[in-house]
Amino acid sequence: MAVRPKSDTIAAIATAPGAGGIGIIRLSGPAAPSIMRQLFVPNNPHPEFPSHKLCYGTIITADGQILDEALAVHMHAPHTYTREDVVELHCHGSQLVLRQILHQTFAFGARPADPGEFTKRAFLAGRIDLTQAEAVLELLQAHTDKSARLAANQLQGALTDALESIRGQLVSILALLEVAIDFPDDDAELFDAMALGEQLHSVVIAPLERLIAQSETGRILREGISVVIAGRPNVGKSSLLNALLREDRALVTPLAGTTRDTIEEMISIRGIPIHLVDTAGIRAHENPVEAMGIERARRKVETADLVLFLIDGQVGPGDADLELYGTLRERPHLVVMNKRDVAGAEAVEACLREFGGARLVTVSARTGQGLDELQDAVAEMAVGNETELGETLACAPNVRHRAVLEEALAACRRCAEAMRAGVCVDLLAVDVQSALDHLGDIIGLTTPDDVLDEIFSRFCIGK
Ligand code: GDP
């Protein structure tokens, strides 16, 4: 993102593309109120535009033609998203008209906003920190209720609070080290490096390790996991996929790139985004075209986070099932006995016998029996139990945070080790300072510009 003068005014269509009931144009910057007065004619001949109050009127071109009927609101600085003067024009949702009005704002001195620039301004003005800015993006992109909750907690500052508390502990430790550096003789007896090492461990290293552990579950909630349905032909793979899709009231998006051999859908299971893949029947085949499909299916199984290995309960497990099971048993998997509506007790016993070590769930894709239990099992395999999940939902670092946390942790571990080894205090302070800087990077206190640019470029224009 190029360096721009701070005082310019930006404008963009803030609502999603496509025809909607209303569409909103947002402006931010010192010229926003004057631009509004040039293109918006209020019905009230003596408008005051009190802050945060909608005003009814029409939007006109420079030569006086009416473009739309609209509501305008001027939000006075600094009580706004960007801390600057913000104007919103609530128009009818035609993209054509919205674009005309937007160009009119450019004619009066605004410039097109870069992706994420409103949120970047909020960050630069200190209204939100970097983890909160990222949470805005995550909230916009959340696939399920749980990923949205995680983002909402981060937006409220949950992660920042956790990091600030660790930073506070580091600052106290650094202060002790600095006293020891400045007054080496006075404090020679008071300074106990071993005790400080233990303190560093309990109030900094352990909390950092907990946060890092939570980031993996956070990643799953944000990005989801891939679950592959595998099994011989006719065991009911497509039926199970369809049954799970029907169960899923919050169906999100069909995935692009669906091939003839594998069908992929995205669903929410217990609030976890699941990329569900139905593979072509995996079996040895002479036909080269079908063989390619089978090969692709095998690769899906190899890279899946979880495999649902389906058995036909009507016929029970056979040699072909066992052979196939041998190729996937090393992957995280559940054995799912389908067609339980027509299965006898012997089939379940045979499954328990043949796949004894694995977790077995019995379902009927036709009647829906057992689907609840299957969903619970999938969720548990993905994110563990409810207690662990609760902690993660409260606060979980994302991939960027995790990389930086790992560096902070490495610096702290080096320091704790050096404390035990009796290394001189000056060197200890260097590591503590480095850990502090890394934590500052996460919040956005010391984040390099290219990292900021990368983060905000992931936003859409208008946000
Ligand atoms: P795929 O080849 O593994 O994808 O299997 P399909 O989903 O096409 O199902 C194969 C056959 O099994 C179809 O005739 C389905 O109607 C039937 N089927 C699938 N699930 C069930 C079930 O739970 N119970 C019964 N009775 N039949 C099922």
Side-chain angles (χ1 to χ4, degrees):
M1 215 176 279
V3 179
R4 315 247 199 201
K6 265 191 171 163
S7 57
D8 62 357
T9 297
I10 53 173
I13 300 174
T15 37
I22 60 165
I24 298 175
I25 288 170
R26 174 149 73 163
L27 295 107
S28 177
S34 67
I35 293 172
M36 174 187 73
R37 283 171 194 275
Q38 290 177 81
L39 54 72
F40 178 76
V41 182
N43 250 29
N44 175 350
H46 307 293
E48 289 168 20
F49 292 110
S51 191
H52 294 77
K53 291 266 185 331
L54 287 167
C55 180
Y56 170 68
T58 47
I59 293 186
I60 53 162
T61 60
D63 54 9
Q65 274 186 54
I66 293 181
L67 280 175
D68 200 356
E69 199 180 1
L71 293 168
V73 55
H74 173 195
M75 290 173 265
H76 295 221
H79 303 291
T80 66
Y81 187 55
T82 57
R83 294 269 189 264
E84 302 174 326
D85 275 300
V86 169
V87 164
E88 283 178 11
L89 303 168
H90 296 223
C91 315
H92 290 106
S94 144
Q95 287 297 307
L96 179 81
V97 176
L98 285 171
R99 274 201 298 274
Q100 282 177 328
I101 300 170
L102 184 64
H103 281 283
Q104 201 65 47
T105 70
F106 299 156
F108 290 133
R111 70 158 171 83
D114 291 326
E117 197 173 1
F118 291 93
T119 305
K120 188 175 189 183
R121 286 185 176 205
F123 163 69
L124 292 174
R127 185 186 169 282
I128 53 175
D129 70 37
L130 197 52
T131 68
Q132 291 171 308
E134 289 172 297
V136 171
L137 182 62
E138 287 176 12
L139 199 53
L140 292 174
Q141 295 175 343
H143 290 298
T144 68
D145 52 345
K146 282 205 174 62
S147 43
R149 211 159 94 210
L150 183 62
N153 285 337
Q154 190 167 312
L155 187 54
Q156 292 302 309
L159 181 60
T160 307
D161 291 348
L163 293 172
E164 286 294 9
S165 137
I166 298 175
R167 275 171 56 83
Q169 300 288 357
L170 278 170
V171 168
S172 313
I173 291 172
L174 188 60
L176 286 175
L177 291 174
E178 275 167 359
V179 171
I181 292 169
D182 292 344
F183 308 100
D185 298 332
D186 298 6
D187 283 277
E189 284 146 39
L190 288 177
F191 182 73
D192 181 347
M194 288 296 270
L196 203 56
E198 276 164 32
Q199 186 184 341
L200 184 64
H201 200 276
S202 62
V203 297
V204 177
I205 292 178
L208 282 177
E209 285 171 341
R210 266 200 304 281
L211 276 178
I212 290 171
Q214 277 159 225
S215 73
E216 178 52 20
T217 309
R219 186 189 65 77
I220 291 171
L221 291 176
R222 290 179 174 104
E223 296 169 18
I225 60 166
S226 70
V227 174
V228 168
I229 307 178
R232 285 189 304 103
N234 285 324
V235 292
K237 295 183 295 298
S238 307
S239 306
L240 181 65
L241 178 101
N242 288 327
L244 286 171
L245 290 178
R246 270 197 306 276
E247 282 275 302
D248 177 37
R249 298 282 166 256
L251 173 64
V252 198
T253 40
L255 289 186
T258 299
T259 69
R260 268 191 304 137
D261 329 300
T262 57
I263 296 172
E264 303 196 15
E265 299 280 352
M266 189 164 184
I267 64 169
S268 161
I269 288 186
R270 306 285 184 258
I272 302 155
I274 304 279
H275 303 262
L276 198 57
V277 184
D278 166 20
T279 58
I282 301 180
R283 62 190 157 150
H285 207 283
E286 301 293 315
N287 177 335
V289 177
E290 197 159 332
M292 272 167 57
I294 291 163
E295 185 46 40
R296 254 199 290 272
R298 264 194 221 287
R299 278 206 299 273
K300 288 278 180 198
V301 167
E302 275 161 22
T303 56
D305 295 307
L306 176 63
V307 180
L308 302 185
F309 175 57
L310 239 63
I311 296 290
D312 185 337
Q314 194 167 20
V315 294
D319 290 345
D321 296 303
L322 293 175
E323 194 186 326
L324 182 53
Y325 186 63
T327 67
L328 57 79
R329 62 183 310 158
E330 300 302 325
R331 309 284 319 152
H333 67 275
L334 290 169
V335 175
V336 182
M337 195 201 79
N338 187 32
K339 310 194 188 180
R340 109 179 195 187
D341 52 311
V342 288
E346 345 55 270
V348 180
E349 278 162 25
C351 281
L352 287 171
R353 202 171 49 243
E354 300 293 354
F355 313 109
R359 181 160 174 184
L360 175 70
V361 186
T362 62
V363 301
S364 166
R366 178 167 290 174
T367 65
Q369 288 168 289
L371 288 185
D372 256 1
E373 198 192 329
L374 177 61
Q375 297 195 22
D376 287 342
V378 169
E380 213 179 300
M381 297 281 284
V383 296
N385 64 34
E386 283 293 317
T387 322
E388 292 162 36
L389 187 58
E391 280 173 24
T392 304
L393 282 175
C395 147
N398 67 21
V399 176
R400 177 185 80 86
H401 309 148
R402 182 189 172 130
V404 187
L405 284 172
E406 304 257 14
E407 295 193 47
L409 180 63
C412 292
R413 283 192 178 138
R414 260 195 322 270
C415 185
E417 191 50 43
M419 283 170 174
R420 272 192 288 275
V423 170
C424 86
V425 278
D426 303 52
L427 294 177
L428 301 178
V430 171
D431 275 332
V432 174
Q433 186 58 56
S434 147
L436 269 171
D437 291 345
H438 285 308
L439 297 184
D441 275 356
I442 299 182
I443 305 169
L445 300 177
T446 48
T447 320
D449 279 352
D450 52 344
V451 176
L452 291 181
D453 285 351
E454 200 278 319
I455 291 170
F456 288 103
S457 66
R458 278 184 265 145
F459 280 68
C460 50
I461 290 175
K463 190 57 223 168

